[in-house]
Amino acid sequence: MLRIFDPFAPELLLFLASVLLVAGCVRGFAGFGAGMIFIPVATSVVAPATAAATFLFIDSIVTLPLLIRAVRHCNWATVLPAAFGAVIFVHLGAWLLASTDVLILRWAIFAIVTCLLALLISGWRYHRQPAAAVSFATGSVSGVLGGISQVSAPPVVAMWLSSANDPAIVRANMIVFFTLASVGTFVAYTLNGFFTQEVFRLLIMAVPVYGLAIFAGARGFSKADPAVYRKFAYVLIAVAALTSMPALDPLLR
């Protein structure tokens, strides 16, 4: 059984801050991936709903400066249907988080993320522009995963990476998508009572740490070789799959 610690103990706050520092650098660089790093680790020491609500708040607020440039580079024709699907279906994910056994949810997330990674590694590419229906369906799956765990990136990342888009466009798509999708998640989490006093106390530490890390990661992307981006994204999805696998709990938690 998962043991939940006092998240306000000094050593736990330091631990969560260090995880947020890494997660924020990744988010600033790649445009996604912070939830894949923070949520699996944070849920080993705090309740899943607390970890998800805390991350949603900081990721939505702190990343707003990234949005200013991303709106000029993203592909709105595929981002808007995906975001619409996510906003609708995040409520299903939040309901599952509130009412379903955590172990079942984690195995489901592991299976979905692993299948998507295998598809990408296979070399398959969707060379055409994703149709609105494809974007909506993919965003819907991301919405469900986001409502459950805030690990919503793999489906939409797989769709945009498989289309062989320029890394700058993929990154911009992700930034705008998450900003729009977070609106529905905020509503769903509020209706389910996930924004507790514990969450707002954690934000005092989390907001400045995550903000600093986002800035550092964004600076890194501006100087990075674009060829590195796709490999980096694959590694992040693999990390998400491994860290969400319940069978590895004895080693990771």
Side-chain angles (χ1 to χ4, degrees):
M1 181 179 293
L2 178 65
R3 180 185 177 188
I4 303 299
F5 299 87
D6 175 11
F8 306 108
E11 62 273 16
L12 262 298
L13 283 175
L14 181 61
F15 172 70
L16 291 174
S18 64
V19 176
L20 275 175
L21 191 63
V22 175
C25 286
V26 168
R27 177 74 156 93
F29 178 83
F32 77 101
M36 299 178 184
I37 295 171
F38 178 73
I39 294 298
V41 179
T43 52
S44 68
V45 294
V46 299
T50 299
T54 299
F55 180 77
L56 171 65
F57 200 99
I58 61 172
D59 196 59
S60 300
I61 302 302
V62 175
T63 58
L64 283 178
L66 296 177
L67 183 65
I68 298 174
R69 184 174 183 180
V71 295
R72 300 197 299 267
H73 297 281
C74 77
N75 188 329
W76 287 101
T78 185
V79 169
L80 284 179
F84 187 56
V87 167
I88 293 175
F89 281 90
V90 70
H91 297 278
L92 173 59
W95 176 79
L96 290 171
L97 176 61
S99 59
T100 308
D101 182 79
V102 174
L103 185 62
I104 295 175
L105 293 177
R106 290 178 58 213
W107 273 114
I109 293 171
F110 169 74
I112 293 171
V113 174
T114 301
C115 289
L116 290 170
L117 179 61
L119 183 66
L120 287 172
I121 293 176
S122 71
W124 180 84
R125 293 290 179 267
Y126 188 81
H127 293 289
R128 295 177 296 171
Q129 177 71 19
V134 173
S135 297
F136 177 83
T138 306
S140 299
V141 176
S142 287
V144 173
L145 294 183
I148 292 172
S149 65
Q150 285 299 291
V151 183
S152 59
V156 285
V157 172
M159 176 177 66
W160 287 319
L161 282 180
S162 67
S163 64
N165 280 322
D166 182 87
I169 295 177
V170 174
R171 181 175 178 270
N173 285 352
M174 296 302 302
I175 292 171
V176 176
F177 168 79
F178 282 124
T179 301
L180 296 176
S182 67
V183 175
T185 313
F186 262 110
V187 174
Y189 277 23
T190 300
L191 292 176
N192 283 275
F194 292 161
F195 291 113
T196 62
Q197 183 179 9
E198 186 176 67
V199 169
F200 288 104
R201 289 175 65 189
L202 282 173
L203 290 176
I204 297 174
M205 173 277 295
V207 169
V209 171
Y210 195 62
L212 177 64
I214 287 284
F215 174 77
R219 290 287 299 272
F221 178 80
S222 65
K223 301 176 181 179
D225 181 351
V228 175
Y229 184 88
R230 191 176 298 273
K231 294 179 181 179
F232 187 70
Y234 290 175
V235 170
L236 288 182
I237 296 175
V239 169
L242 289 174
T243 56
S244 66
M245 186 178 182
L248 294 182
D249 280 357
L251 295 177
L252 301 177
R253 293 172 172 82

